[in-house]
Amino acid sequence: MKRFTLVTLAVALTASAVPTRYTTPAERGLLDSPGVLDNVLLFDAPAFPDPKNPANTIAQLQTYVSLRTPNLGLATGPIANLLESLGIDIGDSLTTLQDRVKLLASVGLPGKKVQINVPGCSQGGTLPSTSLSDLGLANAGISLGSCTTASQLEATVVPGALDTRKFTASIFPSANSGFGVISDIDDTVKVSNVLDTGALLKSTFLDEPKAVSGMPELYRALSQKLNSPQFVYITGSPYQFYPFLKNFIGTSYSATKGPIFTKNLTIANIPEAIKIFTDDQNTLEYKISMIDRLQTMYPAKKWVAIGDSTQKDPEAYAAAFKKHSDFISCIWIRQVDGADNAASRFTAAFAGVPAGKFRVFKDSEIAGLANIDVAGGSC
Ligand SMILES: *[C@@H]1O[C@H](CO)[C@@H](O)[C@H](O)[C@H]1NC(C)=O
């Protein structure tokens, strides 16, 4: 249902927001670094020891460069219509709606090179040019040289000429040892109601986000018991919702912040956009590939993978376990009312995963999860 909704949205936006042809920065007479007419989003990033020289740190950075002024009318129109057709009253939430659709309405810019500095590290770096196929996005491992042993660093985008704005992101360095927590967002840590289209739209575009009751406390407890594990949030939501999700995690999960991996949704390409949201397999594969990425960054870390039963978390985490075995210590799945919670589903999903390695929990069991001795091998 979520997928249908976002397809509708992506198609509506594509029809109107994207120019038929992109001019290159050179054609527009601009340098390839972002300028005052551009907007830069730098995503919070994980950082890990350089395998070739563990004294050095590599940050896996992602950026999105777009035109500074999105056409908000183009995006709010179709979404407002969609909400209305479902009988959802926007009421006095128009400002919230406009804020949430800002990136959906944005036009990504290829060919931009974002340069960053990280105080506390011996060197900064430059991301590769933003992509034409993943419109406006660039993602790369950037060597920061040697960094102070802070648990959190701040990356700053080197501003273009005459640009007084400041774009920053947090970098979360973590050792290739100890524990980490992989967490889904929608209906695992945030109430999103992905099984109910109307409620999902409301929670996504209009309402103040709400944490799943008991989860912030559980994560805080895990943070203490597992000695400040690296928290990484992996969501099937596209990056256009990243600022919203980042604010939510920063507010409701302030003790357990971490990078948020979001999906690429290039709205210039309708078939691709449709595929992303009509293909459950795609979310499954995306999550597995993000766990693969973590495995290359921290091959010797052990992870607790936490998700829920609404979409494909059991299947994705089980597949990651079968691929990397010891890398995934424990899989915890929140049983959400109304989802496919049939025993046969979990039996099929966890075939080949030892019974002591996963657990499907009810909301009444959330508090008790904090007492499980994960570091001691329990799950
Ligand atoms: C998103 O796009 C960037 C730029 O092409 C790419 O490097 C990155 O791997 C993509 N991320 C995912 C999750 O596919």
Side-chain angles (χ1 to χ4, degrees), residues 293-308:
R293 186 178 271 183
L294 283 179
Q295 203 271 340
T296 61
M297 295 180 198
Y298 309 100
K301 210 188 258 304
K302 296 191 182 311
W303 299 79
V304 182
I306 306 177
D308 67 81

Side-chain angles (χ1 to χ4, degrees), residues 302-349:
K302 296 191 182 311
W303 299 79
V304 182
I306 306 177
D308 67 81
S309 65
T310 59
Q311 293 179 310
K312 293 284 180 195
D313 291 340
E315 290 77 10
Y317 294 164
F321 177 89
K322 281 179 251 178
K323 242 170 136 171
H324 305 299
S325 66
D326 274 356
F327 184 69
I328 306 285
S329 273
C330 213
I331 299 171
W332 290 349
I333 299 296
R334 174 178 179 236
Q335 185 173 315
V336 175
D337 287 342
D340 179 3
N341 296 319
S344 56
R345 179 211 178 166
F346 297 121
T347 306

Side-chain angles (χ1 to χ4, degrees), residues 62 130-131 133-134 137-140 262-264 286 289-290 293:
Q62 175 155 309
T130 53
S131 159
S133 54
D134 293 306
L137 288 165
N139 183 314
T262 51
K263 254 195 210 161
N264 290 353
Y286 160 77
S289 74
M290 289 299 98
R293 186 178 271 183

Side-chain angles (χ1 to χ4, degrees), residues 241-317:
F241 291 108
Y242 172 83
F244 169 55
L245 297 175
K246 178 188 148 92
N247 275 342
F248 166 70
I249 297 294
T251 307
S252 295
Y253 292 83
S254 55
T256 56
K257 286 188 284 202
I260 301 171
F261 294 169
T262 51
K263 254 195 210 161
N264 290 353
L265 164 64
T266 319
I267 59 171
N269 181 335
I270 300 175
E272 193 60 29
I274 290 173
K275 222 174 68 207
I276 287 175
F277 289 106
T278 50
D279 192 354
D280 237 3
Q281 195 63 24
N282 187 294
T283 297
L284 177 69
E285 278 162 11
Y286 160 77
K287 291 207 169 183
I288 297 169
S289 74
M290 289 299 98
I291 295 174
D292 291 347
R293 186 178 271 183
L294 283 179
Q295 203 271 340
T296 61
M297 295 180 198
Y298 309 100
K301 210 188 258 304
K302 296 191 182 311
W303 299 79
V304 182
I306 306 177
D308 67 81
S309 65
T310 59
Q311 293 179 310
K312 293 284 180 195
D313 291 340
E315 290 77 10
Y317 294 164

